[in-house]
Amino acid sequence: MTNKVLILVGTKKGAFVLESDAARQSWELRGPYCETWPMNHVIADPATGTILAGGGSEWFGPAVWKSGDLGATWTHSSAGLAYPEGEAPIKAVWSLAKSGASLYAGVDPAGLFRSDDGGETWSHLAGLRNHPSRPHWNPGGAGLILHSLLPHPDDDRRLWVGISAAGVFHTADGGETWETRNRGTRADFMPEDQRYPEFGQCVHCLVMAASMPDRLYQQNHCGMYRSDDGGRHWTSIEAGLPSSFGFPAAAHPRDPSTLYLLPLNGDSAGRYVPDGKAAVWRTRDGGETWKDLRTGLPQGNTYFGVLRQAMATDRLEPAGVYFGTSTGSLYASADEGDSWTCVAQHLPTVLSVETMVVEA
């Protein structure tokens, strides 16, 4: 039995798939798929091997695409992806996640939908938009988007979401009711006496530690944080990083203390890699210390950014780590970040990167 590794890539002009064997030394690129619609997030259902892609735009509207044959053929549906009459229309699907038999979709403007038939039809979970804070949510630079979805691995009624710029919210009852989970995260763009509000923080990315579902990591517009109690309290772990600003984070598939980041040089400084030199930063101790990983990455005249969903790991040993850039390049490491190779160039702007390991 051998493993086949797929990198699933969402871009501004469709979805792409890269395929390799377990050695992960050479890659075959396929695509673009989904009729070159903007694809904000492409994921895999590990139970079935189905690839799911969420996207859309103000031109196309929202939709979730699906392939049951590793990308050879696709169907799509937007049935039920709409708010009640009188509310703003949904522009696009921004994030997808599988939890038990259900599939979740986060959308723009921020809200949450669930499908219990594999993405054929969708139902709005109105509890989130009925939260008392909803009239005060403000859009971030990309809009008012629900971009992070973290289902609990053992309790399908528990779910965390990240919204720019409203913060982190948690439900313990399948989406009926929600509570804010932002204590300890800053909002530097607010007046000085209002920089630790109950909600309104601009969370950029939210990921869950392996085997420790209450350990969460958050890259925020205003810092890098860890929570060990499901987001009830957050602690800054940005000391040692070149910047407190960035978008993506990726958790190790087995070690809850290992995390990967790709910091950018700041909100108002161009939002590219610091000093024009690319580096992925890794912690092995939950954010107490950080190490920059540069071998194989460009170290001069480099001005790309990496967006919030454009970094991922695979579950092999050693773990693979991957990221895609705003300039359409895709980098891969087969040794947990110690060395890197560019495996694709000249793609459209990369919006998301996820992986799937298939036993072949």
Side-chain angles (χ1 to χ4, degrees), residues 186-206:
R186 301 191 311 275
D188 291 340
F189 43 82
M190 298 290 286
E192 189 170 350
D193 61 346
Q194 301 174 34
R195 290 187 177 172
Y196 289 89
E198 179 186 351
F199 61 88
Q201 290 89 336
C202 189
V203 54
H204 281 179
C205 183
L206 190 67

Side-chain angles (χ1 to χ4, degrees), residues 21 86 99 105 164 166 175 178 196 217 219 225 260 294 306 312 315 339:
D21 60 18
S99 178
S164 296
W178 296 79
Y196 289 89
Y217 295 100
Q219 173 68 70
Y225 302 91
Y260 298 89
R294 299 178 182 272
V306 179
R315 61 178 176 83
S339 62

Side-chain angles (χ1 to χ4, degrees), residues 19 69 74 81 84 90 103-104 107 136 140 173 192 196 198 205 218 236 248 266 272 295 309 314 316 324 327:
E19 185 174 315
D69 50 18
W74 294 80
L81 286 172
I90 295 172
L103 181 66
Y104 289 96
V107 302
H136 307 287
D173 56 15
E192 189 170 350
Y196 289 89
E198 179 186 351
C205 183
Q218 178 186 160
S236 172
Y272 53 80
T295 302
Q309 297 183 124
D314 68 33
L316 297 184
T327 54

Side-chain angles (χ1 to χ4, degrees), residues 31 183 221:
R183 185 175 300 172
H221 191 104

Side-chain angles (χ1 to χ4, degrees), residues 61-316:
V64 174
W65 293 70
K66 181 166 63 173
S67 173
D69 50 18
L70 301 184
T73 60
W74 294 80
T75 60
H76 73 280
S77 174
S78 57
L81 286 172
Y83 290 136
E85 187 175 351
E87 294 194 37
I90 295 172
K91 299 176 184 177
V93 172
W94 260 87
S95 54
L96 295 169
K98 188 77 187 306
S99 178
S102 297
L103 181 66
Y104 289 96
V107 302
D108 172 14
L112 184 64
F113 287 76
R114 186 180 69 213
S115 173
D116 296 320
D117 57 10
E120 296 298 320
T121 60
W122 296 87
S123 299
H124 179 215
L125 299 182
L128 182 59
R129 285 175 66 87
N130 288 338
H131 192 273
S133 66
R134 173 62 186 89
H136 307 287
W137 295 358
N138 291 306
L144 184 61
I145 56 174
L146 196 161
H147 52 69
S148 292
L149 283 166
L150 297 184
H152 192 284
D154 304 315
D155 182 351
D156 60 10
R157 295 181 63 77
R158 293 185 65 190
L159 178 73
W160 292 261
V161 302
I163 300 172
S164 296
V168 176
F169 293 79
H170 173 264
T171 181
D173 56 15
E176 293 292 324
T177 61
W178 296 79
E179 65 177 34
T180 56
R181 294 276 175 103
N182 300 297
R183 185 175 300 172
T185 56
R186 301 191 311 275
D188 291 340
F189 43 82
M190 298 290 286
E192 189 170 350
D193 61 346
Q194 301 174 34
R195 290 187 177 172
Y196 289 89
E198 179 186 351
F199 61 88
Q201 290 89 336
C202 189
V203 54
H204 281 179
C205 183
L206 190 67
V207 297
M208 181 181 290
S211 72
M212 291 181 64
D214 279 332
R215 172 171 284 187
L216 307 177
Y217 295 100
Q218 178 186 160
Q219 173 68 70
N220 193 286
H221 191 104
C222 306
M224 185 66 210
Y225 302 91
R226 189 188 78 218
S227 172
D228 292 320
D229 58 7
R232 293 180 179 87
H233 304 86
W234 294 91
T235 301
S236 172
I237 56 170
E238 61 199 61
L241 291 170
S243 166
S244 63
F245 184 90
F247 287 97
H252 191 279
R254 288 172 296 278
D255 180 1
S257 295
T258 296
L259 183 76
Y260 298 89
L261 301 179
L262 205 152
L264 303 181
N265 62 351
D267 178 20
S268 59
R271 299 191 179 191
Y272 53 80
V273 291
D275 303 319
K277 300 176 181 180
V280 172
W281 291 72
R282 181 181 65 199
T283 181
R284 294 290 199 185
D285 52 18
E288 296 296 322
T289 60
W290 296 91
K291 176 179 175 57
D292 56 322
L293 310 171
R294 299 178 182 272
T295 302
L297 296 178
Q299 294 302 294
N301 300 318
T302 303
Y303 302 102
F304 59 63
V306 179
L307 298 175
R308 68 184 83 241
Q309 297 183 124
M311 192 175 197
T313 59
D314 68 33
R315 61 178 176 83
L316 297 184

